Amino acid sequence: QVQLAESGGGLVQPGGSLRLSCVASGRISSNWVMGWFRQAPGKEREFVATTRWNGASSKYADPAKGRFTISRDIAKNTMYLQMNSLKPEDTAIYYCAMGTRWVVGRMSLEREYDEWGQGTQVTVSS
């Protein structure tokens, strides 16, 4: 069973940047999928970005396009989310998640992911 651990959250001013990390324990298949979701106070968890572990495909939610970049370091079993031009509305707990297959048109859905991390808090405020 793969376990996920996020880090890198914190307090940042509007316009600033953060890089989140998600370290996965255990062996990851190249066909698996790793993604980021977030949950803001009082709101449901929402999709942010996802990528196939082999790098063949990735997908971003509209609020993340042009500002966030998902990447992975296979040697370190680590996925990253580089977040630039942060806005107060990006404030949320960010979760990484793992799925075992890429299903076209469905990777923004929570139910396509089998394992979840505990989350890391990102606060964007002046």
Side-chain angles (χ1 to χ4, degrees), residues 28-121:
I28 302 176
S29 171
S30 62
N31 290 326
W32 288 3
V33 181
M34 299 284 284
W36 290 97
F37 288 75
R38 68 184 183 185
Q39 186 168 21
K43 295 186 177 181
E44 295 186 351
R45 190 155 57 184
E46 64 177 8
F47 167 73
V48 177
T50 190
T51 184
R52 296 180 71 167
W53 193 244
N54 62 15
S57 304
S58 61
K59 178 178 179 178
Y60 294 86
D62 285 344
K65 290 179 181 177
R67 299 189 301 129
F68 295 2
T69 302
I70 192 170
S71 63
R72 78 275 184 270
D73 185 327
I74 295 175
K76 295 182 178 180
N77 257 23
T78 301
M79 175 180 65
Y80 302 99
L81 184 68
Q82 178 67 45
M83 304 187 294
N84 299 327
S85 303
L86 283 163
K87 306 174 182 179
E89 51 263 43
D90 294 318
T91 295
I93 300 174
Y94 283 70
Y95 298 90
C96 68
M98 185 210 74
T100 57
R101 58 177 186 166
W102 180 275
V103 182
V104 175
R106 296 181 60 84
M107 296 319 299
S108 62
L109 303 178
E110 291 186 45
R111 60 178 177 268
E112 295 298 334
Y113 298 84
D114 305 300
E115 302 293 338
W116 293 80
Q118 295 300 308
T120 185
Q121 176 71 47

Side-chain angles (χ1 to χ4, degrees), residues 7-20 83 86-94 120-126:
S7 63
L11 173 64
V12 63
Q13 292 186 343
S17 299
L18 279 176
R19 188 178 77 159
L20 305 183
M83 304 187 294
L86 283 163
K87 306 174 182 179
E89 51 263 43
D90 294 318
T91 295
I93 300 174
Y94 283 70
T120 185
Q121 176 71 47
V122 172
T123 302
V124 184
S125 176
S126 55

